[in-house]
Amino acid sequence: MPTTAVTREYLETIYNLIVEGDPVVGVRLAEKFGVSPANVAQTLERMQKDGLISMPGRGRGKAGEGIELTEQGKEEAEALLRQHRLAERFLVDVLGMDWVKGHEEAHNM
């Protein structure tokens, strides 16, 4: 199943939070994306059904805690980040864009 733009955003963000050692909680994602916690919960449920994440903390008094990438989710997130970085390098190194603009444009690609 092809991933949507929203799913790609969530995969990248969850991956980056994990790499940075930050807890991945629904409230933090809601703040990051400027959406309601209910919207985040709906997206996370869809991602879990698609096999991209697991939420082992759910249902044990820890609502919103313990969001983890599955192996498939990790692979997709890493592929997305590689594509993003390659696009950035092309825009900055080959086309001469400044890094900030290149980053924004790579994100839109």
Side-chain angles (χ1 to χ4, degrees):
M1 168 181 222
T3 34
T4 66
V6 170
T7 301
R8 290 191 298 270
E9 287 279 329
Y10 274 69
L11 282 172
E12 288 183 24
T13 300
I14 292 168
Y15 183 90
N16 286 329
L17 287 171
I18 291 169
V19 167
E20 293 166 6
D22 293 332
V24 183
V25 293
V27 172
R28 183 129 188 240
L29 294 171
E31 290 170 0
K32 167 95 175 128
F33 295 119
V35 298
S36 71
N39 184 286
V40 169
Q42 186 178 38
T43 300
L44 292 175
E45 286 177 30
R46 187 174 60 249
M47 291 175 71
Q48 187 174 30
K49 286 179 188 171
D50 291 343
L52 300 172
I53 63 166
S54 63
M55 298 184 283
R58 295 268 172 138
R60 288 187 252 152
K62 299 179 179 179
E65 293 182 6
I67 300 165
E68 301 171 353
L69 292 172
T70 62
E71 192 59 36
Q72 176 187 349
K74 182 179 176 187
E75 288 173 7
E76 288 195 32
E78 288 174 343
L80 289 167
L81 289 165
R82 272 193 304 276
Q83 291 170 358
H84 180 92
R85 289 189 182 117
L86 286 170
E88 276 179 345
R89 298 302 341 156
F90 173 76
L91 293 169
V92 172
D93 295 346
V94 176
L95 298 183
M97 245 180 225
D98 72 54
W99 187 86
V100 173
K101 183 69 174 167
H103 173 75
E104 291 171 4
E105 288 300 321
H107 186 72
N108 294 327
M109 297 171 90

